[in-house]
Amino acid sequence: MKTLDRRNFLKKATLAGASALAVPTLFESCTSKANASTIVATDGLESKLIVPKNNGLKITGTFLDEISHDIPHQNWGEKEWDLDFQHMKNIGIDTVIMIRSGYRKFVTFPSPYLLKKGCYMPSVDLVDMFLRLAEKYGMKFYFGLYDSGKYWDTGDMTWEVEDNKYVIDEVWKNYGSKYKSFGGWYISGEISRATKGAIGAFYALGKQCKDVSNGLPTFISPWIDGKKAIMGTTKMTKEDAVSVQQHEKEWDEIFDGIHEVVDACAFQDGHIDYDELDAFFSVNKKLADKYGMQCWTNAESFDRDMPIRFLPIKFDKLRMKLEAAKRAGYDKAITFEFSHFMSPQSAYLQAGHLYDRYKEYFEIK
């Protein structure tokens, strides 16, 4: 009996103590909510910048990353995409680029050729939707070619030519001749160095795109094999980064082989450090000028300096890259990519803040 009484006493004492602790917590929670409901942002406040405003190259183009393998999908419908195009237009974006029309078995449009090869049927024709939205908001749409994944598996670019022979013809027939917003082609293969079959593949694809579309522009967006080019490793940097001199030598050869059918090159800017930007950018501009190509920058709006892949970039990092592009005399800045990393409606809360900081810096209302 005494043992049972003791157990009952301890049980009641424990419950009473828990209740005593819970009451203040509940009270504090209610109080916090009440206080939070009265907190509002002060109107008219802006960041007090201590650097010159409007001193970089404005972003006027963005990739549309609808077929991604390393960034979470946002599952937007046309309503969300329409709103995103409005946000893009608000900061001066006039060019949208579908980064790839398909990757392995996932595709953005019902391609008869790719579906017969075993690709999955998409629920929405994204190519048609993007072309309509681009037309609605006065933008140019660049079609990104199909990526079979075979180059990534083999290191040989020539694999990507065969499938795209059919894709290019299909797309021009079904969309290109129908929409005025169809403004050009993005040859979606990404390389950094002299790569097996790259010159031949870029030339073949660029020529077919131009031939079928009466000369619409084409561009590529390679990456610089810098210290942050660590794909497939657990490291943040690597020691065997390409030198500026070797980069110039290799890309001189590549540009020499493709400049007749590739109009612009937008090097990705995230694989080199911020104090290396001017050296590499000046070489890129010199080579583009030598071969009569447009020199664009792919200003990455995600952060490569963090172990978490991928989150919106710190504003100062984006600012420094855009300022370097302006110093180098680049022709255009595009980004990878607005919808995930700069949009006010992105799944990442930081993206909307980056949008606000960008508008403050460039004095966009």
Side-chain angles (χ1 to χ4, degrees), residues 9 30 70 92 104 112 132 140 172 213 222 234 252 287-288 308 315 327 342 363:
F9 171 79
C30 293
D70 54 8
R104 299 189 189 268
R132 285 188 286 104
K140 289 296 182 185
W172 183 253
S213 64
T234 57
D252 193 331
L287 289 174
I308 302 172
F315 168 69
R327 286 193 297 271
M342 289 187 73
E363 301 179 294

Side-chain angles (χ1 to χ4, degrees), residues 1 4 45-46 53 61 63 103 120 135 145 166 228 263 266 278 340 361:
M1 285 294 293
L4 288 174
L45 287 181
E46 284 195 0
K53 289 186 176 183
F63 284 102
Y103 179 61
Y120 305 131
E135 209 149 279
L145 301 187
Y166 301 94
K228 300 181 195 177
D263 298 285
D278 288 304
H340 278 96
Y361 175 75

